[in-house]
Amino acid sequence: MMSGAIPDIRAIELEVRPLLVSGRYEEAEAIVRPYLASGTGPLVLWKLLAAALRPQGRIAETRVIQEMLVAHVPGDFPARFDLSETLLLSGEFERGWREYHYRYSLAHTAHIERKVQRPRWDGRAMPGKTLLIHDEQGYGDTFQFMRMVPWAKEKSGARVVLEINAESLSLVRRSAGFDEIVVRGTLPPAFDMHCEMMSLPMALGLRLHDLPGPIPYLSPDPQRVERWRQRLADLPRPLVALVWAGRPTHPNDANRSLSLGELAPLVQAGVSFVSIQKGPAATQAGSPPDGMRLLSLSDEIDDFEDTAAILSVTDLLVSVDSSPVHLAGALGRPVWVMLPKVPDWRWLLDRADTPWYPQMRLFRQDLRGDWSGVVSRMAAELARCRAR
């Protein structure tokens, strides 16, 4: 691994890292490759090479390097986390979930780890005891992994206390699998063991064929549904909800988001669109593509209860990879997801469906950064659906 003299590794890093940040992966690879041509070289250069290969979609090559890094330095937790995402992306759940635990060893995620003076639940039966399950990451993660709370209750035989973020609390109250629910930031009742929501797959031994489980597992508020049904009653059908950008602070946002103008090919006679886009990108709804009948609801949406009700009234959600996708899936609503060339691990590889949500279709980029093919295929499919 460490044989062979490498000139000024720090200089190579300083040259390559800006290329990775700016998405110039082929250039980064071209710089690093010669130093590793013999099959040996410093670990830091192998890490840079893996970081250049993965966004190009060269997953098998990336995995070989990641496996080598973990084998040589098992205490390199960021390398183990990188491997976990590659394993999960490849559908190798058993080992992938184990390695995914190392997410708490990263500089940008260490702050979210719950410091709990109780053991983490490992899937054992614990009748007569109390299990605390707590969410930990984004809203979409909460919606996606909520399905496993009833599974954990059944397997553990325990009394389950669910700790949830305030924004999702009222929606999650109507779901199943817990005996008590508390809001994150408050003191939970006494418990014997705990488990992060996204560690439930490891504790449960989740496999691909265990998915999706019962769908829907979240439900909208009937009063909100009626309110939004009346609000949208005059719009011609089909009624398509749109989300074209994710949270700007997300580390992968540049890779997953696009502009409203890029959705212009979706414009078709008789189709009505409603924007449920939040954040800075919502202002784009003020200047929709020519011919697009678009009603912006962004300023009228107060919380996820409103979003859930709108999704229950509309015919389809078209969205980038963001929390409304998981909310729609958990509600059992039809949703089309626009995915980058190399997506987040949960969407797997080379498939137009997902085991997580049976009502969901995936539209993937053929070329990195090119949304035109994705939108063109969606437009054609929308036309076919209307013709049926």
Side-chain angles (χ1 to χ4, degrees):
M1 282 294 300
M2 300 300 293
S3 63
I6 303 295
D8 202 346
I9 296 172
R10 180 58 177 162
I12 298 170
E13 281 193 273
L14 291 174
E15 183 180 9
V16 170
R17 291 197 183 279
L19 296 175
L20 296 174
V21 171
S22 61
R24 296 158 65 184
Y25 305 114
E26 290 83 0
E27 294 178 52
E29 178 189 356
I31 292 171
V32 176
R33 276 264 183 219
Y35 298 108
L36 302 173
S38 67
T40 64
L43 294 177
V44 64
L45 296 189
W46 286 107
K47 287 185 178 183
L48 291 174
L49 181 58
L53 292 176
R54 192 180 190 278
Q56 296 181 55
R58 294 156 67 180
I59 304 302
E61 295 175 73
T62 302
R63 177 173 174 176
V64 169
I65 297 172
Q66 291 173 338
E67 294 274 18
M68 177 267 292
L69 291 169
V70 168
H72 280 78
V73 191
D76 186 338
F77 297 145
R80 300 194 74 138
F81 176 75
D82 290 342
L83 175 60
S84 78
E85 291 200 315
T86 299
L87 292 168
L88 293 172
L89 182 65
S90 303
E92 296 190 29
F93 275 18
E94 183 176 1
R95 184 180 172 202
W97 294 123
R98 291 200 306 269
E99 299 290 345
Y100 191 65
H101 173 64
Y102 291 102
R103 64 192 180 277
Y104 289 136
S105 304
L106 309 182
H108 70 281
T109 58
H111 71 280
I112 67 174
E113 182 176 15
R114 181 75 178 273
K115 307 302 181 185
V116 179
Q117 301 302 314
R118 290 288 186 273
R120 178 176 285 106
W121 184 57
D122 56 6
R124 73 183 67 179
M126 44 183 296
K129 304 290 187 179
T130 298
L131 171 63
L132 174 70
I133 298 175
H134 45 101
D135 68 351
E136 52 175 309
Q137 298 191 38
Y139 302 125
D141 299 309
T142 296
F143 298 144
Q144 181 180 6
F145 286 82
M146 264 302 304
R147 77 188 75 207
M148 297 179 204
V149 174
W151 306 352
K153 180 171 178 58
E154 181 179 3
K155 185 171 184 179
S156 67
R159 180 177 186 271
V160 170
V161 176
L162 178 62
E163 182 183 273
I164 208 80
N165 63 82
E167 292 82 359
S168 305
L169 180 65
S170 63
L171 186 64
V172 169
R173 281 189 190 278
R174 292 189 295 275
S175 61
F178 54 86
D179 300 283
E180 184 176 350
I181 188 168
V182 296
V183 68
R184 187 197 299 170
T186 62
L187 186 67
F191 57 92
D192 301 285
M193 303 190 80
H194 81 104
C195 192
E196 305 89 353
M197 196 173 288
M198 295 182 74
S199 291
L200 288 176
M202 178 175 66
L204 292 165
L206 183 74
R207 296 161 294 181
L208 271 177
H209 66 257
D210 295 320
L211 296 171
I215 300 282
Y217 52 89
L218 294 180
S219 62
D221 175 24
Q223 292 184 329
R224 299 273 191 119
V225 170
E226 183 56 32
R227 169 189 155 194
W228 284 105
R229 180 174 287 117
Q230 294 179 22
R231 173 72 175 88
L232 304 176
D234 295 334
L235 294 178
R237 299 274 180 167
L239 190 55
V240 179
L242 293 180
V243 177
W244 56 88
R247 176 169 47 87
T249 55
H250 190 282
N252 195 41
D253 192 61
N255 190 43
R256 66 173 180 167
S257 294
L258 64 160
S259 68
L260 176 59
E262 292 176 272
L263 298 182
L266 296 181
V267 175
Q268 298 178 25
V271 179
S272 300
F273 296 92
V274 295
S275 167
I276 60 171
Q277 177 69 51
K278 302 294 281 186
T283 60
Q284 298 174 28
S287 303
D290 290 344
M292 177 177 280
R293 182 191 291 113
L294 177 67
L295 173 64
S296 178
L297 303 178
S298 304
D299 292 339
E300 302 178 48
I301 297 174
D302 291 331
D303 52 25
F304 282 119
E305 290 279 22
D306 280 329
T307 305
I310 293 168
L311 293 172
S312 299
V313 172
T314 53
D315 300 298
L316 173 68
L317 169 64
V318 171
S319 176
V320 295
D321 182 7
S322 62
S323 57
V325 160
H326 296 285
L327 179 54
L331 293 166
R333 300 299 298 161
V335 52
W336 295 355
V337 187
M338 299 175 278
L339 293 178
K341 172 71 173 177
V342 180
D344 187 74
W345 56 263
R346 69 200 75 208
W347 304 121
L348 304 173
L349 294 168
D350 303 322
R351 55 190 295 170
D353 66 338
T354 168
W356 294 97
Y357 307 109
Q359 299 86 355
M360 185 175 289
R361 296 185 59 180
L362 308 179
F363 293 79
R364 301 172 182 267
Q365 285 181 348
D366 294 321
L367 300 173
R368 187 176 75 247
D370 179 20
W371 291 108
S372 61
V374 170
V375 179
S376 177
R377 292 196 303 275
M378 294 176 71
E381 185 59 26
L382 183 59
R384 280 194 291 271
C385 290
R386 291 182 58 235
R388 291 171 188 163

